[in-house]
Each structure stands twice: as C-alpha cells, then as structure tokens.
Amino acid sequence: MARHRSSATPLAWAYAALIVYASLYPFAGWAQPGVSPWAFALLPWPHWWSLFDVVANWLGYIPLATLVFASVVRTGGSVQRGLALGVGLGSGLSAVMELTQNYLPQRVPSNLDWLLNTVGSVCGALLALLVQAAGGAQRWQQLRERWFVDRSAGALALIVLWPAGLLFPAALPLGLGHVLPRLREAALDAVQGTPWAASLAVLFHLDAPLHPAASLPRFAEFSATVLGLLAPCLVAFAASPAGWRRAVLVAGAAGLAFAASTLSTALNFGPQHALAWRTPLASDALLFGTALALALVWVPRRAAVGLGLLALGALVALVAQAPADAYFSQSLSAWEQGRFIRFHGVAQWVGWLWPYAAMVYLLTRLGSRDD
C-alpha cells in the first residue's frame, strides 16, 4: 500500500493528549493508594452510573481508534495492523488512565469505564475499516491531491484544530495565543519564597502590571482580529496551490471563525447572547481580514510562509497586550470551575499553543524543496 504523510497522525496525538487531560484533571492531590492499583478491575460493576457517563466513555474513544487506524493505513501499514493498533492503543491508554486515577483522590477508577472505552475503540477501528473498504481513503487522497501539495499533513492538522481553539474564551475576537498571563503567574509561583525571587521579578519584570492600559487602542484590537483570521489562511496557503481553491479555503475559514465565535459566546453567556461578540469593530475586522486573505490567493507558497510568520508574530504580540475585562474573567471562571470542564482542556491548550505550533510548521516549510 502506498505511503502518505497523514494528518491523522498529529491529530491522533492531539486527541490522546485531550483524553489524558480529561481523565486526570485537575492533576492535584496525588497520593499513594491504600490498595493495589489493579483492584478496580476486579470490583463488581458500579451501582451508580448515568447514561451520559456511559455514552461519553463509549463515544470518547471512537475518534482515537479511527485516527490511529487512518494513520497506520495512510502511512503504508496493513489493515490488520491498523485494527490491532487502533483497538490496542485505545484500550491500553484507557487502562493506564484508570490505573493513574488511583493516585488522584478526586478521580475514581472504574472497570466499567475501561470496558466502555475498549468497546469504543473497537467501534472506532471498525468504522475506519468500513470507510477504508468503501474507498473513502482513496477518495480523500484524490481530493487532497487536488487541493493541497505534498507534505501538507501539518497544515491540515492545524486547520482542523484552529476552530477548537476559538471555543475557549479569548480576550479578543480570534485572538489565539493568549498564554503570557499564565506564564507570568507560573513564573511568580515557581520563584515565590526563594532567596532570588525579588531579583528575578525585577530582571524579568514579573512584578510589573501585566496590562498597564485599560484597553487596547481600537486599531490594535482591529489588527489583532484581522490577523486572527489571516494567519490560518496563510497556513493553508503554504500548503495549497495558488488560485481559486484558496478563495474557497478563505470563505471556509471566515465561516468557521463566525461559527466558532458564536458558539463560544453562546456557551459562555447563553444562546440569547450568541452574537454579542459581533461588535461593529469585530465585524469590520472580519470582513477586512477576509478581503485581505482573498487578495493574497495568488501569492507563491514561499511568500505565504513568510507572510504567515509575520502575521503570527504580530498576532501573538498584540494578544499579549490585551487586558482581561470583567466579562472575560467571568467567562474564564465558568470554563475552569464549572460547566465546561470537559471542553476546557482541548480548547484552552489549542487556543494557547496554536499560533506557536503554526510558526513551527511554517519554519519547516521554509526549508522545503517543493516551495
């Protein structure tokens, strides 16, 4: 079977990281269990369970096994190996998570969860097998060859992950990469109580106010939103041939930006406020960013790489200066302490790291011979 670089590989790693986060959160209170870590496997079925937990544990591992199967088959492995790894890695990861939960007082290992996760892995691998048997992989390869160049797996993975990052509340519309406040807090906590704490705080300005201004200038906020849309478009341009297909990708990016921002606002403030993010400034920035991206659909891929790096760097710099208003802080509290805990991990980490992962990908494209 032909070997291809598959976007399923990085997506499988990302999804496995999400499972680890969701299974072990909040990563606090580690303690030695008083029984064997394998004791949960021999317990009778739990008396208390909910339909939501059963469905979530079953469905949660289906995408992982599907992505693992696709990754194996697309990179030249056999169907049998794809099935074995899809089921085996899914069930094995579930077992490791249940074992590790023994050491977290806030989490309870369950043999029912392990069984449901394994069943989900079997279903995911079989679903991928059905798609493979129906010719889905071949049709996807033909579609990908028409729309993207070789070695586009990284770009495709970034494009798929980008809307997920937008679901986490952002200080600015489309403003991914807002990780500086958390890094400063972590740095302050790490050196607190040490003899060199004061010196390091002065040296790296850790004790300075993070947001000296009450708000960003309107032009800076406008620019950040424009760059928030332009950056993923340029990532796509770096892996796609110049022409009308890029215009379709731009339209898709604009639609995803609108949909993800609307969904994020609805989750945070209720469906009645779903379009509250769509201020005149944000709407104008979204339209301008779309027009600017459309104007660049004919640029060479190497030029798109350079422009993408500039756009991402400027985006991160602007977002780092964005103040967190009261509504933003309230929405963060809701995500991190309450009803959105299941979505917190993937959305937050993707939102933080997406611009930096995109920079790494574009830097690798600079040395690519096919550009």
Side-chain angles (χ1 to χ4, degrees):
M1 185 173 292
R3 294 175 60 89
H4 303 283
R5 292 179 180 268
S6 177
S7 56
T9 302
L11 289 175
W13 280 106
Y15 196 83
L18 167 62
I19 289 176
V20 172
Y21 189 99
S23 300
L24 303 183
Y25 186 86
F27 302 95
W30 295 88
Q32 186 70 27
V35 297
S36 168
W38 286 101
F40 77 93
L42 303 178
L43 293 175
W45 296 122
H47 296 289
W48 303 103
W49 52 271
S50 66
L51 180 61
F52 174 82
D53 288 334
V54 171
V55 174
N57 279 289
W58 170 55
L59 292 179
Y61 275 69
I62 289 179
L64 177 63
T66 302
L67 289 169
V68 170
F69 179 95
S71 175
V72 171
V73 174
R74 293 274 298 159
T75 54
S78 65
V79 169
Q80 294 81 359
R81 186 165 182 263
L83 283 172
L85 285 178
V87 176
L89 291 179
S91 181
L93 178 61
S94 175
V96 171
M97 292 300 97
E98 298 301 326
L99 285 169
T100 309
Q101 286 180 357
N102 281 285
Y103 302 90
L104 290 168
Q106 299 185 47
R107 305 308 298 260
V108 179
S110 168
N111 49 14
L112 179 60
D113 290 351
W114 186 13
L115 174 63
L116 290 169
N117 297 157
T118 301
V119 172
S121 299
V122 172
C123 293
L126 291 177
L127 176 62
L129 177 62
L130 289 176
V131 173
Q132 172 77 12
Q138 292 79 0
R139 284 192 286 271
W140 163 246
Q141 181 61 29
Q142 294 170 359
L143 179 67
R144 177 172 162 175
E145 289 175 350
R146 287 198 299 268
W147 284 77
F148 296 96
V149 300
D150 292 338
R151 299 183 61 191
S152 59
L156 290 173
L158 288 167
I159 292 169
V160 171
L161 291 173
W162 177 64
L166 296 178
L167 292 179
F168 186 76
L172 297 171
L174 312 186
L176 300 186
H178 196 249
V179 70
L180 179 60
R182 298 303 180 93
L183 290 178
R184 289 170 59 96
E185 292 175 6
L188 285 171
D189 291 340
V191 301
Q192 189 173 12
T194 62
W196 53 84
S199 299
L200 289 176
V202 172
L203 179 62
F204 295 103
H205 305 286
L206 296 178
D207 55 348
L210 182 60
H211 304 300
S215 62
L216 279 180
R218 288 178 59 83
F219 178 74
E221 184 176 344
F222 178 88
S223 300
T225 304
V226 170
L227 292 169
L229 177 62
L230 184 61
C233 292
L234 289 170
V235 169
F237 292 178
S240 61
W244 64 269
R245 291 183 177 85
R246 287 184 177 178
V248 178
L249 294 175
V250 171
L256 285 173
F258 184 93
S261 299
T262 301
L263 178 58
S264 177
T265 309
L267 290 173
N268 283 283
F269 304 109
Q272 68 274 23
H273 302 295
L275 296 176
W277 69 274
R278 193 170 168 263
T279 63
L281 183 67
S283 297
D284 291 344
L286 190 62
L287 289 174
F288 184 80
T290 302
L292 184 57
L294 289 173
L296 296 173
V297 296
W298 292 102
V299 300
R301 292 198 300 277
R302 189 173 292 276
V305 169
L307 291 172
L309 288 170
L310 291 175
L312 287 164
L315 172 64
V316 169
L318 287 173
V319 169
Q321 300 301 316
D325 58 28
Y327 294 105
F328 179 66
S329 299
Q330 179 184 2
S331 65
L332 287 183
S333 177
W335 273 75
E336 295 179 356
Q337 299 178 17
R339 59 187 182 274
F340 299 121
I341 195 65
R342 290 296 180 183
F343 301 98
H344 170 269
V346 62
Q348 183 182 48
W349 284 97
V350 172
W352 281 350
L353 301 179
W354 191 92
Y356 305 99
M359 288 182 189
V360 172
Y361 170 76
L362 292 178
L363 286 172
T364 64
R365 296 299 301 182
L366 281 178
S368 176
R369 295 181 180 178
D370 60 346
D371 289 337

